[in-house]
Amino acid sequence: MHSNIIIVGGGASGMFAAVTAARRGKSVLLLDANDRLGHKLSITGKGRCNVTNNCDPDTLMQNIPRNSRFLYSAFSRCTPADVMAFFEGAGVPLKTERGRRVFPQSDKAADIVQALRCEMQNANVRICENSRVTKLLISEEQCVGVRLEQGAEYTADAVLLATGGMSYPRTGARGDGYKLAKQAGHTIIAAQPSLIPLETTEHDPQEMQGLSLKNVTLTVKSGKKVIFSELGEMLFTHFGISGPMVLSASCLLDPEKLSSYLLTIDLKPALTPEQLDLRMQRDFSERINKDLANAMRGLLPASMIPVMLRRAGLSPAKKVHDITKAERLALGAVIKGFTLHASAMRPIAEAIITRGGVSVREVNPNTMESKKIRGLYFAGELLDVDAFTGGYNLQIAFATGFAAGVSM
């Protein structure tokens, strides 16, 4: 059976590309290995789906730490405003929240998946689920179709690989796209986890597991060089640290050099060391005969107090009236500079996205077509592009899917 276009992968980029191409009059066959489309899309943003980021082009580029220039053309043709217009036109009202994050007003990722599916049906896209592609059909340096695991073959004028990366394997991410791209002679940058929690050498986070912090600053240094610094939210876990800031920081860390990074948390970034000391003096003067652990309750969460006192070399049972200035300053220094060391990233199966993939040097940035094999295209997480958390990665998926869809 012949189609103008075959799309392998029914995620964000694959479905968006299918709608884009079919609306332009092409016959499109979408093949997906799962039993339902948009599986990963349906769980993004904790099931709410952070569709895009309502930002300007410069901000968009600044939030992509690697290979951002490759995406310039795709972003110019499919902006966050375009993505928002598409979904609102498909009957999904959107809202913009803190950090310019865009969500469906319903807070249901399923609405985004359903909108894409309906738009594909309206454009007469043929959908085949439970159809795993295991081989590209290549003739005279041109991709002319695909072969399924069951042996069936489908031919086409163009084939788009949009199979995603290696994160969240329960959603069907098996790395099939890497194998297919290799078959076509493409270089694959090793897949690594990105937007991933970090395990720590220290066991202090275990004592505070479940504690969520807001309005704290996380700074990551390698030697004297600041790799990352941001004000935001984070979470202590049984293995280390997680939360939005930690996930974003992980994008910039080399998994092979984790031991070289120093992670510092400022628990009171709105206060200078001098202001913090005055605050402690005021709190202590009101609780002059209490144990130090009790006197700290107005300043820090309860589960954090024993850890901070231990770091400062102070006994929780010590009376406030016995605290010296030097001890108070040492405690302030710990609060303003709580340090940790990353020992490992969590397994790639827990990563929100995959770093690495098809080398963008071998892909035309204007069309998403392979520079090696005519008629072969790439989109989404399969490419070696990834971004910080905040809707930027889905914007990459939609923009590269759109560019491929138009080109095909």
Side-chain angles (χ1 to χ4, degrees):
M1 185 179 295
H2 187 83
S3 304
N4 294 136
I5 295 164
I6 291 174
I7 294 174
V8 184
S13 59
M15 289 191 284
F16 208 75
V19 174
T20 301
R23 282 180 174 180
R24 285 158 175 76
K26 297 297 182 182
S27 61
V28 179
L29 170 63
L30 187 144
L31 304 170
D32 191 79
N34 291 326
D35 57 4
R36 61 188 172 103
L37 302 182
H39 195 169
K40 184 177 179 183
L41 190 58
S42 68
I43 63 172
T44 59
K46 297 179 180 178
R48 295 177 63 217
C49 193
N50 186 181
V51 179
T52 187
N53 192 284
N54 192 2
C55 65
D56 57 62
D58 287 344
T59 302
L60 195 55
M61 300 294 277
Q62 288 165 9
N63 280 276
I64 300 167
R66 274 172 297 279
N67 298 324
S68 59
R69 290 180 63 185
F70 171 80
L71 295 164
Y72 186 84
S73 176
F75 284 156
S76 67
R77 298 164 77 185
C78 181
T79 66
D82 293 327
V83 171
M84 294 170 69
F86 172 89
F87 285 107
E88 296 207 309
V92 184
L94 302 174
K95 59 182 177 180
T96 301
E97 298 186 355
R98 182 180 53 82
R100 305 173 307 275
R101 290 168 161 86
V102 179
F103 294 90
Q105 287 185 14
S106 64
D107 286 329
K108 294 179 179 177
D111 289 351
I112 297 296
V113 177
Q114 184 60 25
L116 285 164
R117 185 153 197 148
C118 286
E119 291 305 307
M120 285 194 294
Q121 290 171 343
N122 292 339
N124 297 314
V125 175
R126 289 174 50 239
I127 299 168
C128 290
E129 294 161 333
N130 295 308
S131 299
R132 186 179 183 183
V133 173
T134 54
K135 186 176 181 180
L136 296 176
L137 303 180
I138 297 172
S139 176
E140 297 179 354
E141 297 187 345
Q142 180 168 348
C143 188
V144 296
V146 300
R147 179 181 297 161
L148 302 188
E149 191 172 39
Q150 300 91 331
E153 293 186 353
Y154 296 95
T155 59
D157 304 320
V159 174
L160 168 65
L161 295 183
T163 54
M166 293 286 285
S167 56
Y168 287 108
R170 60 193 171 92
T171 65
R174 305 180 181 89
D176 287 354
Y178 303 139
K179 297 173 185 175
L180 295 170
K182 274 185 179 179
Q183 182 194 130
H186 276 273
T187 302
I188 305 299
I189 307 303
Q192 296 177 332
S194 193
L195 295 182
I196 185 79
L198 300 174
E199 298 178 8
T200 59
T201 303
E202 298 83 358
H203 297 295
D204 294 335
Q206 295 178 11
E207 290 185 47
M208 302 180 284
Q209 64 176 292
L211 176 62
S212 179
L213 300 176
K214 295 182 178 180
N215 299 316
V216 298
T217 299
L218 172 66
T219 300
V220 182
K221 286 185 176 181
S222 178
K224 294 183 178 180
K225 184 180 179 182
V226 175
I227 305 297
F228 175 91
S229 188
E230 187 175 291
L231 174 73
E233 301 176 18
M234 62 170 291
L235 172 72
F236 290 111
T237 72
H238 66 284
F239 55 76
I241 53 176
S242 187
M245 279 196 305
V246 175
L247 298 182
S248 288
S250 73
C251 288
L252 300 172
L253 306 185
D254 184 341
E256 304 298 322
K257 299 178 181 178
L258 284 182
S259 61
S260 68
Y261 300 114
L262 177 67
L263 288 62
T264 304
I265 304 163
D266 184 346
L267 298 165
K268 298 292 177 182
L271 302 177
T272 65
E274 294 75 21
Q275 290 170 330
L276 176 59
D277 188 48
L278 289 172
R279 164 73 189 277
M280 285 195 290
Q281 288 183 58
R282 186 171 68 249
D283 286 1
F284 289 174
S285 67
E286 295 171 356
R287 303 169 177 85
I288 196 73
N289 293 313
K290 290 187 176 292
D291 291 347
L292 186 54
N294 292 328
M296 296 289 293
R297 287 184 177 271
L299 191 64
L300 296 171
S303 62
M304 181 171 272
I305 292 171
V307 174
M308 293 298 149
L309 293 178
R310 185 170 65 245
R311 286 281 186 107
L314 295 169
S315 167
K318 189 167 187 174
K319 297 297 182 183
V320 170
H321 57 70
D322 289 332
I323 300 297
T324 66
K325 179 181 178 180
E327 289 173 330
R328 196 179 66 241
L329 292 175
L331 181 56
V334 171
I335 293 172
K336 292 288 290 178
F338 180 68
T339 58
L340 293 167
H341 296 82
S343 58
M345 290 181 172
R346 293 296 286 172
I348 195 168
E350 297 179 26
I352 293 178
I353 57 163
T354 305
R355 180 195 307 182
V358 176
S359 172
V360 296
R361 293 183 179 182
E362 300 169 356
V363 179
N364 185 320
N366 298 310
T367 64
M368 298 297 140
E369 186 176 18
S370 165
K371 292 179 179 179
K372 291 176 171 286
I373 301 292
R374 298 189 312 280
L376 178 62
Y377 295 76
F378 302 96
E381 196 177 345
L382 182 60
L383 290 162
D384 181 26
V385 285
D386 62 278
F388 296 129
T389 183
Y392 303 106
N393 287 289
L394 273 181
Q395 178 61 34
I396 291 173
F398 293 132
T400 54
F402 181 84
V406 169
S407 302
M408 291 188 297

